[in-house]
Amino acid sequence: MNRTARLARHAAAVCAILLASACASSGTTADGTETVDPDAVAVTVNNDLIPPSSVTVWIVPESGSRRRLGTLSPNGQETFSFSPTGVGEYRLLAEHLAGGSTVSNPFVLSDARTLTWRLSSSVVLVGSTP
């Protein structure tokens, strides 16, 4: 496969991932207005990795399946939203496109409404107000 075809294929895959993440993180009513989940948690991720790398961000519960929050370009910052499905500890996981991963400290979402994570640190800051 030539380089142009590989780049086009990669671009199409990235677009599909972004579209899927947008659809998964928002809901709409029958009249087309967007719905807001009152239990949703805002997750702000700052991709300050050195060397820079695109990442896919996941929320990983202590028990159950991990859920994809979205992708983040090098040196980018994004706020994702998700609704917790259970109690217990969670972690954030960033899979690097270039290989490898970064995992956060464990945290509990009892009254959390916001999470903030700089990928250069393993510490997730948990807040109670959006």
Side-chain angles (χ1 to χ4, degrees):
M1 183 181 296
N2 68 31
R3 182 181 174 161
T4 304
R6 280 194 310 262
L7 287 174
R9 196 165 152 196
H10 179 71
V14 169
C15 288
I17 289 169
L18 291 175
L19 179 60
S21 114
C23 293
S25 64
S26 66
T28 55
T29 61
D31 66 358
T33 59
E34 202 167 312
T35 60
V36 177
D37 182 350
D39 296 325
V41 175
V43 182
T44 301
V45 181
N46 181 344
N47 185 357
D48 59 349
L49 291 173
I50 307 259
S53 175
S54 293
V55 296
T56 300
V57 180
W58 302 83
I59 184 83
V60 183
E62 180 178 42
S63 61
S65 300
R66 69 183 187 171
R67 292 177 15 198
R68 190 176 151 303
L69 298 179
T71 57
L72 194 54
S73 61
N75 301 311
Q77 179 174 306
E78 186 76 38
T79 299
F80 305 104
S81 178
F82 86 101
S83 299
T85 55
V87 295
E89 288 186 345
Y90 288 80
R91 291 181 187 265
L92 291 173
L93 166 68
E95 292 181 329
H96 309 186
L97 190 62
S101 62
T102 302
V103 180
S104 77
N105 62 304
F107 53 88
V108 177
L109 294 173
S110 58
D111 291 326
R113 289 292 161 246
T114 63
L115 302 173
T116 305
W117 186 31
R118 292 180 57 155
L119 294 182
S120 63
S121 166
S122 64
V123 179
V124 171
L125 302 175
V126 179
S128 60
T129 57

